[in-house]
Amino acid sequence: MNVLKVRPVALAMFCACLSVPVAGQLRQQSFLSEKWDFRLDRDEAEDVWEQVDVPHTWNATDGTSPDYYRGDGTYRYTLSVSPAMMKKRIFLRFEAASQKAEVKLNGQEVGEHVGGFNAFCFEITPYVHSGENLLEVIVSNRKELNIAPLEGDFTVFGGIYRPVSLLLLPRLASRLWIMLLPGYMSANRSASDVRTCR
């Protein structure tokens, strides 16, 4: 084996390993768990909101009955963004929402995710402004033929049933590091366009 060919490869691998801790230190993460507003959209004419903490499911009480609610629910969260945060790239990461989630920020569609078991992440930098921002997530656990599972002896719980976090990265973060965010999807892309590296 030619030693001259091995050295550049070994050096590149060594440099890549050194950069991983630095990237982790540059990323800031905060969980958005408290003070979400929630409305079950069983009857759209009824505009009744309750305050919940995320993770949350609307099937906590009826999930053991065969006729549990399968439909839509809407979550709202007031996201406060400081001027210092505006100097960074801002991402929302959902560990999971069952089964379909449409994410909006300040009335603008950020993206949609299909599938109840995978994490997903959207960059929201173009949609936020300094001050209070309205995050709205419309979640559905309706039975749809293109979303697994179709059948089973279990409840398909609806809601944002895993944590949600806000991620801040440097403005100059390389596309590679952003694509390494588990569940990353570029803005206005569906789950079929997911770009992730695990």
Side-chain angles (χ1 to χ4, degrees):
M1 179 182 288
N2 189 343
V3 175
L4 294 176
K5 289 182 181 178
V6 174
R7 281 189 181 162
V9 173
L11 181 62
M13 290 174 59
F14 178 73
C15 290
C17 289
L18 287 177
S19 65
V20 171
V22 173
Q25 292 169 359
L26 295 176
R27 183 176 84 171
Q28 298 171 309
Q29 180 176 17
S30 56
F31 288 95
L32 310 178
S33 56
E34 297 177 343
K35 297 184 179 176
W36 287 74
D37 292 320
F38 171 73
R39 179 186 71 199
L40 193 61
D41 298 335
R42 189 185 306 252
D43 180 9
E44 291 184 18
E46 193 174 323
D47 196 26
V48 178
W49 293 85
E50 63 178 296
Q51 196 169 85
V52 298
D53 291 341
V54 167
H56 172 264
T57 178
W58 58 73
N59 297 117
T61 56
D62 71 346
T64 57
S65 68
D67 60 341
Y68 67 96
Y69 177 69
R70 292 194 74 173
D72 298 342
T74 302
Y75 294 85
R76 287 185 180 163
Y77 184 84
T78 302
L79 182 63
S80 297
V81 177
S82 69
M85 292 167 67
M86 292 298 296
K87 296 176 183 175
K88 301 195 178 267
R89 294 181 75 174
I90 306 171
F91 295 81
L92 276 175
R93 177 173 163 74
F94 294 80
E95 298 294 328
S98 183
Q99 284 186 264
K100 186 176 182 180
E102 179 184 343
V103 180
K104 296 180 180 180
L105 195 62
N106 298 321
Q108 297 180 19
E109 184 179 334
V110 175
E112 182 180 86
H113 178 77
V114 175
F117 304 104
N118 298 334
F120 56 101
C121 181
F122 294 110
E123 181 168 10
I124 59 169
T125 308
Y127 306 98
V128 296
H129 57 263
S130 186
E132 292 189 346
N133 296 266
L134 180 62
L135 171 62
E136 186 174 41
V137 186
I138 301 150
V139 181
S140 174
N141 70 336
R142 292 180 189 278
K143 184 174 182 176
E144 294 191 29
L145 296 178
N146 64 329
I147 304 174
L150 297 178
E151 297 293 329
D153 61 346
F154 51 85
T155 300
V156 180
F157 288 93
I160 303 174
Y161 71 96
R162 291 190 184 148
V164 178
S165 56
L166 187 71
L167 303 174
L168 302 176
L169 275 75
R171 278 276 182 187
L172 299 176
S174 74
R175 184 163 176 81
L176 173 63
W177 283 117
I178 292 167
M179 288 173 61
L180 290 174
L181 290 173
Y184 169 72
M185 287 188 270
S186 57
N188 294 320
R189 304 269 179 155
S190 68
S192 61
D193 297 321
V194 68
R195 296 177 181 173
T196 180
C197 181
R198 294 181 190 252

